[in-house]
Amino acid sequence: MSDVQDLMSLPDDKIDMIAATSVLQQQAGDIRQNKPNWAPYVQSQMISQEDYNCVSALDKDKKSQAQYLQENPGQCAKTFLNLLSHVSKDQTIQYILVMIDDLLQEDRTRVQIFHDYAIKRKESVWAPFLNLLNRQDGFIVNMASRVVGKLACWGQELMPKSDLHFYLQWLKDQLTVAGRKLSQEMLEADKKRAEESAAAHLAHSHHGHHAHHGGSTAESHNQHHHHHQIAEKYREISSAIDEPRQRTDGDGSLHVSLT
């Protein structure tokens, strides 16, 4: 009961964020239950035997997974990035992203495994995930964005300016689309409330009653204020993306902040 009360006491934007994350996690839970059959991928030479051995070892219980990851960090990063580059089936890409996200969520220092591998090979750790932002599957897009955020926030390596610009612009585009959709929904809700209020007033008039609209007027005002707050929040976040602040730590490292 206290959890419900705590949730109800949160600001609306926090509740919306939790709800969105919960939906994503629910989908991830369903995806975890449908392990891919990796054998056909290696048999058809879509992936190498080396990558097959690695992903098969990682796709086990947590204890075995953690031990293999600790003993073969470079191979794990290599295999995951190879799989994202060579596998095209949506369901399999979803599963791979869930595996990566779970590994990072369990221990955020693991992001460095990917960064170290990319530095050693002089490859981009960002490109395989940023490319997925153009996919049509909503889960893949959202999970890829989630992994990019973790690699950027939890790692020591900076995202190249071109990739950072692409990612921030993508985030802004998503906010713009969501903002327009929300605005349309709010307009439709306001229109529906106005129609219901007019119908109620007409019904009272026909019965010779004098309707008291103080409550509905106050409710309408509160709704309008709430809608205005949401619109302002969207504009605030969008402006932060347009002009991210930069800060330099004591060690000279440059970081970008959106807050």
Side-chain angles (χ1 to χ4, degrees), residues 66-250:
Q67 182 177 350
Y68 185 87
L69 187 64
Q70 184 176 3
E71 295 173 353
N72 307 275
Q75 181 60 52
C76 293
K78 177 183 178 181
T79 292
F80 278 129
L81 296 178
N82 282 344
L83 291 176
L84 291 178
S85 299
H86 295 97
V87 174
S88 59
K89 188 177 180 181
D90 280 353
Q91 290 86 339
T92 308
I93 293 291
Q94 291 173 351
Y95 191 85
I96 295 168
L97 288 172
V98 169
M99 286 184 70
I100 295 173
D101 186 69
D102 285 347
L103 290 173
L104 299 183
Q105 192 65 36
E106 290 166 10
D107 183 354
R108 62 177 58 190
T109 63
R110 289 173 176 170
V111 298
Q112 206 56 39
I113 292 174
F114 290 89
H115 287 301
D116 290 345
Y117 172 78
I119 292 173
K120 184 177 180 180
R121 294 292 298 269
K122 295 183 179 180
E123 297 177 359
S124 170
V125 72
W126 312 100
F129 299 101
L130 293 177
N131 289 338
L132 293 176
L133 299 182
N134 295 316
R135 298 282 289 236
Q136 296 299 313
D137 183 85
F139 181 85
I140 290 177
V141 170
N142 288 320
M143 190 58 75
S145 175
R146 179 180 167 95
V147 172
V148 169
K150 289 179 178 179
L151 290 173
C153 295
W154 295 349
Q156 300 297 318
E157 308 304 321
L158 298 178
M159 187 184 294
K161 286 186 177 180
S162 58
D163 289 338
L164 178 62
H165 175 76
F166 174 84
Y167 184 52
L168 294 181
Q169 185 60 50
W170 179 85
L171 288 174
K172 184 179 179 182
D173 291 343
Q174 302 309 301
L175 283 172
T176 300
V177 172
R180 288 173 179 169
K181 181 180 179 181
L182 181 60
S183 295
Q184 184 61 37
E185 290 175 351
M186 291 190 299
L187 287 173
E188 292 175 357
D190 287 341
K191 181 180 179 181
K192 183 178 180 180
R193 276 191 295 271
E195 292 173 349
E196 291 174 348
S197 178
H201 176 70
L202 184 61
H204 278 78
S205 297
H206 285 167
H207 288 83
H209 297 297
H210 296 286
H212 179 63
H213 298 287
S216 60
T217 301
E219 180 182 354
S220 177
H221 175 75
N222 290 335
Q223 288 288 344
H224 178 76
H225 179 66
H226 177 58
H227 293 171
H228 178 73
Q229 286 182 317
I230 294 176
E232 283 298 317
K233 180 61 68 175
Y234 269 98
R235 280 193 286 269
E236 179 183 334
I237 297 174
S238 181
S239 297
I241 292 176
D242 280 336
E243 300 178 1
R245 295 205 308 270
Q246 296 181 341
R247 63 178 175 82
T248 303
D249 286 348

